[in-house]
């Protein structure tokens, strides 16, 4: 890679995803081997994410090595792309004077809620009069999308609201999810588990009212937004999240499109008030316009020219 870069005389601009490739470029630039314009687009906080993924811990030499690499990248990249304010704040603490630009993640599909065909949907779900919550994504035990945590939420939500219905759209083991729900005595008539490709998921969004994004405490939790949160919003859903999804929590509070729900003494009241406050999603809301592909494209174009 270094040889290719050094002998490439036609291009000095490099837009780089990921820490490792960015580190190589920054070291070439730092050692004055070649004049480069480097746009570092890390997307997530890799050293902290590694702790979340249990690849290492805070006492590991590899963790400390990645922290040092992160510092070298932020100091030497011409521009650091951040997907949210939380990540920008984290990088500012490493090197406040380096240039940073926020380019949010985006979603491109959108459907309005299908209020006229709830009983005739292709999944044969009886949803008329229901408040429908959907979770789309993987569900595993002891993972950031934690099956035990979602099960606890679904158990409690269904126990206080007989109109609550849950769609679990996942390619994770349906058998494991079913067993977990059964162990908590979650009634079978309040949920369905469906395997869906991305096109099917959008159809399921049109049958739903709220999207779920719940996480356990994580080292990088303050920066977590999640592509699925943006997909929920762009597809017309309010969002239920918790304090452990830091960026998602800020977005939902600022837009009013959903509510914050934690497993605490205020759960029942916050749930009931949150469901009552459900809003129709206005895609023209400035809080949401920045999650469109047009906005992201314009921001990236600005970085190149």
């Amino acid at each position: 890679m270094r040889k290719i870069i050094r002998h490439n005389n036609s291009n000095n601009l490099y837009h780089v995803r990921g820490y490792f490739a960015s580190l190589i470029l920054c070291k070439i630039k730092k050692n004055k081997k070649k004049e480069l314009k480097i746009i570092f687009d890390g997307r997530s906080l890799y050293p902290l994410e590694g702790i979340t993924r249990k690849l290492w811990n805070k006492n590991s030499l590899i963790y400390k090595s990645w922290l040092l690499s992160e510092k070298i990248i932020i100091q030497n990249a011409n521009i650091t792309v951040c997907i949210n304010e939380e990540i920008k704040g984290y990088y500012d603490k490493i090197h406040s004077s380096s240039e940073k630009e926020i380019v949010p993640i985006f979603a491109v599909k959108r459907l309005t809620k299908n209020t006229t065909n709830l009983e005739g949907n292709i999944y044969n779900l009886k949803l008329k009069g229901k408040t429908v919550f959907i979770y789309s994504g993987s569900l595993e035990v002891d993972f950031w999308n934690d099956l035990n945590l979602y099960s606890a939420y679904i158990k409690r939500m269904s126990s206080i609201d007989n109109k609550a219905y849950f769609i679990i759209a996942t390619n994770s083991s349906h058998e494991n999810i079913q067993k977990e729900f059964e162990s908590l005595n979650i009634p079978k008539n309040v949920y369905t588990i469906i395997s869906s490709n991305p096109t099917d998921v959008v159809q399921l969004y049109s049958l739903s009212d709220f999207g779920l994004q719940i996480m356990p405490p994580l080292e990088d939790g303050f920066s977590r937004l999640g592509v699925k949160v943006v997909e929920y919003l762009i597809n017309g859903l309010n969002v239920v999240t918790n304090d452990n999804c830091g960026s998602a929590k800020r977005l939902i509070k600022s837009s009013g499109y959903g509510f914050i729900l934690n497993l605490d003494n205020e759960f029942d009241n916050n749930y009931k008030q949150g469901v009552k406050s459900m809003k129709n999603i206005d895609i023209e809301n400035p809080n949401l316009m920045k999650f469109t592909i047009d906005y992201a494209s314009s921001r990236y174009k600005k970085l190149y020219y």
Side-chain angles (χ1 to χ4, degrees):
M1 179 177 176
R2 293 184 181 185
K3 284 185 178 180
I4 293 173
I5 292 170
R6 288 173 184 170
H7 292 90
N8 181 2
N9 296 317
S10 62
N11 181 36
N12 287 330
L13 169 63
Y14 291 88
H15 184 160
V16 193
R17 291 284 295 272
Y19 275 58
F20 187 66
S22 298
L23 178 64
I24 292 173
L25 282 163
C26 287
K27 284 190 172 182
I28 292 173
K29 178 181 177 181
K30 185 179 178 182
N31 294 331
K32 302 185 184 304
K33 299 293 184 181
K34 188 173 183 179
E35 289 296 323
L36 300 175
K37 179 179 179 180
I38 301 169
I39 300 174
F40 167 54
D41 198 347
R43 313 304 288 177
S44 63
L45 306 176
Y46 187 64
L48 293 179
E49 186 183 273
I51 297 176
T52 293
R53 294 170 58 192
K54 299 185 179 180
L55 300 177
W56 49 70
N57 59 53
K58 281 192 171 182
N59 296 318
S60 302
L61 288 177
I62 190 170
Y63 169 68
K64 295 174 182 178
S65 175
W66 276 116
L67 284 180
L68 178 60
S69 298
E70 185 176 61
K71 185 175 182 179
I72 292 171
I73 294 168
I74 302 305
Q75 288 177 335
N76 289 278
N78 296 79
I79 302 171
T80 295
V81 175
C82 312
I83 63 172
N84 56 42
E85 291 284 354
E86 287 75 16
I87 289 180
K88 180 179 181 299
Y90 173 88
Y91 286 145
D92 277 339
K93 291 178 182 178
I94 295 174
H95 196 250
S96 60
S97 61
S98 60
E99 185 177 352
K100 303 172 190 72
E101 293 286 343
I102 296 178
V103 182
I105 54 180
F106 61 87
V108 296
K109 294 180 180 178
R110 175 172 168 78
L111 288 177
T112 56
K113 181 173 171 58
N114 186 348
T115 57
T116 61
N117 198 29
L118 291 178
E119 293 300 293
N121 62 81
I122 62 174
Y123 302 97
N124 199 31
L125 301 175
K126 307 302 182 183
L127 302 177
K128 190 172 182 179
K130 299 291 186 180
T131 302
V132 183
F133 299 84
I134 188 170
Y135 172 77
S136 171
S138 58
L139 270 182
E140 307 289 345
V141 174
D142 198 22
F143 185 58
W144 57 55
N145 296 320
D146 186 70
L147 173 58
N148 293 333
L149 184 60
Y150 275 91
S151 299
Y153 268 80
I154 291 171
K155 167 72 172 179
R156 195 156 174 183
M157 293 161 74
S158 61
S159 69
I160 62 176
D161 183 2
N162 60 14
K163 293 182 179 180
Y165 191 87
F166 302 89
I167 298 174
I168 310 299
T170 182
N171 291 321
S172 297
S173 171
H174 290 197
E175 181 181 359
N176 290 343
I177 297 170
Q178 186 77 45
K179 286 180 178 178
E180 176 65 17
F181 286 3
E182 288 177 355
S183 73
L184 294 176
N185 295 315
I186 298 174
K188 291 185 178 180
N189 64 348
V190 303
Y191 68 88
T192 189
I193 306 171
I194 298 176
S195 295
S196 294
N197 61 44
T199 301
D200 292 334
V201 168
V202 173
Q203 299 297 325
L204 291 169
Y205 288 160
S206 75
L207 301 174
S208 305
D209 300 297
F210 290 92
L212 295 172
Q213 172 73 331
I214 308 296
M215 286 187 171
L218 304 171
E219 285 293 332
D220 58 344
F222 68 92
S223 70
R224 290 281 176 167
L225 174 59
V227 174
K228 68 170 60 68
V229 170
V230 176
E231 288 182 349
Y232 292 154
L233 290 168
I234 294 300
N235 283 283
L237 304 185
N238 285 246
V239 175
V240 180
T241 190
N242 66 347
D243 284 345
N244 298 324
C245 307
S247 187
K249 175 185 176 181
R250 179 179 59 81
L251 173 61
I252 297 311
K253 290 185 73 172
S254 64
S255 68
Y257 292 147
F259 60 98
I260 315 303
L261 191 63
N262 296 298
L263 288 173
D264 55 22
N265 293 332
E266 295 300 313
F267 185 98
D268 292 13
N269 182 61
N270 288 340
Y271 172 84
K272 292 173 183 176
Q273 292 301 317
V275 170
K276 283 183 181 178
S277 66
M278 183 179 69
K279 297 180 178 180
N280 290 324
I281 303 296
D282 175 14
I283 192 61
E284 300 300 325
N285 184 311
N287 284 300
L288 300 187
M289 284 293 292
K290 61 186 179 182
F291 297 111
T292 62
I293 190 171
D294 289 343
Y295 181 85
S297 299
S298 68
R299 297 294 292 173
Y300 277 123
K301 185 177 180 180
K302 177 185 175 184
L303 302 183
Y304 297 152
Y305 302 103

